[in-house]
Amino acid sequence: MELKKLQEHWDSFPEVSMEERPVLSSDLEKIVVKNPLSDAFYLRRRLLARIIIFSVLWIVNAVQLRSQWISDGPDISELVVLFGLLTYCLYFHIRLLFFADYPTLLSLPLISFLGKLETVLDKYILSFRFVSGLSGFYLLALIQYLLWTWNKGAHETLSHNDWYKWLILIFISVSVDILFLHSVIPKYRKLLAGVRKYREGIQAKAQYK
Amino acid sequence: MNNSSKKGGFDVDIRSLLKIQHKKVYAICRLFADTYKEHQFLFTNIMAAASQNIRGRRENSDKQTLVLRACINMAALHSITTEMAPVVERSIQFKSPDYQRSMTRLRQSIGEASDYEKFRLFLELEKMPVEELTHLTGLPHSKHVSGKKKEKEAGLRKTSFNFIPYLKRQLVWN
């Protein structure tokens, strides 16, 4: 009975006033080419930017590694680790971009859509770990360069002491990771928790019904 | 008219379909938007999502289902972002007194219904079979839940590969 009343009310629902109505005819083309996902959920551009940056770094690193290998340079171990990390980072980000498949994401059924959003957000949060690791290497290189310009003696000592270099590298990586944990990541964690809570709520309701 | 004809990169076929379906989009907006600004925002996002779904559709998918999935997925995202926003008193705010009255009455009728109930209600009020909800949400239809669940569990027991859960989670992104 209640549903019947509601149906009647629904069928007699007035049209949205002209003033409040979204423009349908002339602006329809603009509407349909706009990206429907908000910035927080749409990570495509950010992933692409990272892939481009990592690709450039990978090429530079490969060239450096080759020259060090030929001249039997002192930084081979560092460059090999960096090469491995960059390769895995590239693979991880490309895989994430293909997995997210943004053009077809919204055509998935709700639960699969939310599940995929959760996975993408979760992996994106994880990707900050790799960025921290990489920043350790590049900040160490920056420190070495600054030492080379200011104090050549200190630079020599650091260059020939692998133990110190790795210790500084780990310290920088952990510091950057902590920085991310308190600056960028909470926003994505909150979003991930919101999506998960919503999906679980819908599933619980459906089971209860 | 040729289905693949384009006008400035925009498929004419999509335009006509969206024009036909726009009342359904208005309908779902009624259930999820409280103000006319939210209504406009949700409407444009659903239209954009629907057109994206149709443009990127696979051979076997039905356009009507893709439009409805866009409605439901965008409404869900709207709910998630609204819930995460700082708490403010939510009230119905439309400029047209007639629409305001109808919206207030609708909110009183549906009360504090959950989003799942709103989706069911949407299908019911738009005279679509409730079974359609399975295609739209991916949730099993309530009548078959227990049976299917048992079947699924039995199937899982039969075919379970003894993966280490952590490795499985890391390697297989579901």
Side-chain angles (χ1 to χ4, degrees):
Chain A
M1 193 61 192
E2 194 65 34
L3 191 66
K4 202 180 165 190
K5 269 187 193 171
L6 189 61
Q7 183 75 61
E8 280 167 16
H9 176 54
W10 187 264
D11 293 337
S12 63
F13 221 87
E15 290 278 319
V16 187
S17 67
M18 288 306 282
E19 194 188 351
E20 294 166 314
R21 187 178 296 183
V23 186
L24 243 185
S25 51
S26 61
D27 272 2
L28 186 62
E29 289 184 25
K30 278 184 208 158
I31 287 172
V32 296
V33 291
K34 143 183 194 294
N35 173 34
L37 290 171
S38 64
D39 274 353
F41 293 109
Y42 190 67
L43 304 172
R44 189 170 175 268
R45 267 185 232 124
R46 268 164 262 187
L47 288 173
L48 271 174
R50 279 194 192 178
I51 289 169
I52 293 167
I53 293 168
F54 292 156
S55 304
V56 173
L57 293 177
W58 189 87
I59 293 166
V60 172
N61 177 256
V63 172
Q64 276 183 327
L65 184 61
R66 189 176 172 275
S67 66
Q68 289 267 328
W69 189 275
I70 292 165
S71 62
D72 202 18
D75 298 328
I76 284 187
S77 57
E78 202 184 305
L79 285 173
V80 167
V81 176
L82 181 58
F83 183 77
L85 189 60
L86 276 169
T87 309
Y88 188 72
C89 273
L90 260 178
Y91 161 73
F92 186 88
H93 282 79
I94 292 170
R95 188 183 171 194
L96 185 55
L97 189 67
F98 276 101
F99 173 78
D101 193 13
Y102 284 103
T104 61
L105 185 62
L106 279 157
S107 62
L108 292 172
L110 181 66
I111 297 299
S112 314
F113 166 69
L114 294 173
K116 205 167 191 179
L117 267 189
E118 268 179 51
T119 311
V120 172
L121 283 170
D122 189 37
K123 300 296 170 192
Y124 189 67
I125 292 169
L126 182 66
S127 73
F128 282 100
R129 286 269 154 87
F130 299 124
V131 177
S132 315
L134 285 175
S135 52
F137 281 95
Y138 288 102
L139 286 174
L140 176 66
L142 182 73
I143 289 171
Q144 280 181 302
Y145 173 75
L146 292 175
L147 280 179
W148 181 72
T149 53
W150 291 336
N151 190 337
K152 288 217 169 57
H155 173 256
E156 280 297 307
T157 314
L158 187 65
S159 316
H160 292 99
N161 197 327
D162 278 354
W163 178 245
Y164 282 157
K165 264 202 286 189
W166 285 107
L167 216 57
I168 294 170
L169 198 148
I170 291 166
F171 173 76
I172 296 170
S173 299
V174 172
S175 306
V176 175
D177 193 38
I178 291 169
L179 185 73
F180 281 142
L181 272 175
H182 289 93
S183 55
V184 199
I185 293 176
K187 187 182 93 178
Y188 291 106
R189 283 245 165 94
K190 199 181 160 196
L191 206 60
L192 176 64
V195 176
R196 189 168 289 156
K197 190 180 155 200
Y198 187 84
R199 181 180 56 79
E200 285 169 356
I202 291 273
Q203 282 177 321
K205 273 279 171 196
Q207 274 183 346
Y208 179 71
K209 287 272 159 189
Chain B
M1 190 188 287
N2 183 3
N3 275 352
S4 63
S5 62
K6 291 192 176 187
K7 188 189 166 192
F10 178 67
D11 202 332
V12 178
D13 188 34
I14 299 175
R15 175 206 283 270
S16 50
L17 181 85
L18 292 180
K19 280 200 171 176
I20 296 163
Q21 295 286 339
H22 83 274
K23 287 206 170 171
K24 279 202 175 68
V25 181
Y26 272 131
I28 198 144
C29 290
R30 270 177 223 158
L31 290 168
F32 287 88
D34 288 336
T35 64
Y36 78 91
K37 290 231 159 129
E38 273 183 24
H39 193 289
Q40 284 180 341
F41 185 70
L42 186 57
F43 179 88
T44 49
N45 281 343
I46 292 175
M47 289 302 244
S51 94
Q52 195 183 70
N53 286 355
I54 296 164
R55 267 185 277 146
R57 85 189 171 116
R58 294 188 179 101
E59 290 295 311
N60 55 353
S61 41
D62 170 39
K63 284 182 189 173
Q64 163 94 3
T65 309
L66 292 176
V67 173
L68 290 172
R69 277 184 187 167
C71 289
I72 285 184
N73 290 345
M74 289 314 296
L77 282 191
H78 177 77
S79 280
I80 292 168
T81 40
T82 312
E83 254 178 55
M84 283 169 59
V87 184
V88 282
E89 204 185 318
R90 297 184 63 77
S91 56
I92 308 289
Q93 284 167 25
F94 284 85
K95 286 183 180 174
S96 148
D98 203 19
Y99 202 83
Q100 170 81 12
R101 213 175 306 118
S102 296
M103 280 295 286
T104 313
R105 222 182 111 195
L106 180 69
R107 281 290 181 281
Q108 281 165 355
S109 310
I110 60 173
E112 291 294 310
S114 69
D115 281 6
Y116 179 73
E117 286 158 341
K118 283 182 188 173
F119 294 141
R120 279 178 69 102
L121 200 60
F122 167 68
L123 292 181
E124 193 93 44
L125 295 172
E126 286 297 310
K127 299 178 185 79
M128 283 180 278
V130 183
E131 292 78 39
E132 187 77 11
L133 200 62
T134 309
H135 301 297
L136 302 178
T137 59
L139 290 163
H141 189 232
S142 51
K143 279 180 193 169
H144 310 296
V145 170
S146 53
K148 275 191 177 170
K149 207 177 170 187
K150 276 177 195 168
E151 277 173 31
K152 202 178 167 187
E153 277 170 6
L156 267 176
R157 251 180 266 130
K158 273 183 197 169
T159 58
S160 69
F161 302 100
N162 203 10
F163 277 149
I164 302 164
Y166 174 76
L167 268 182
K168 193 181 169 187
R169 205 169 54 240
Q170 291 302 312
L171 297 171
V172 187
W173 298 357
N174 36 20

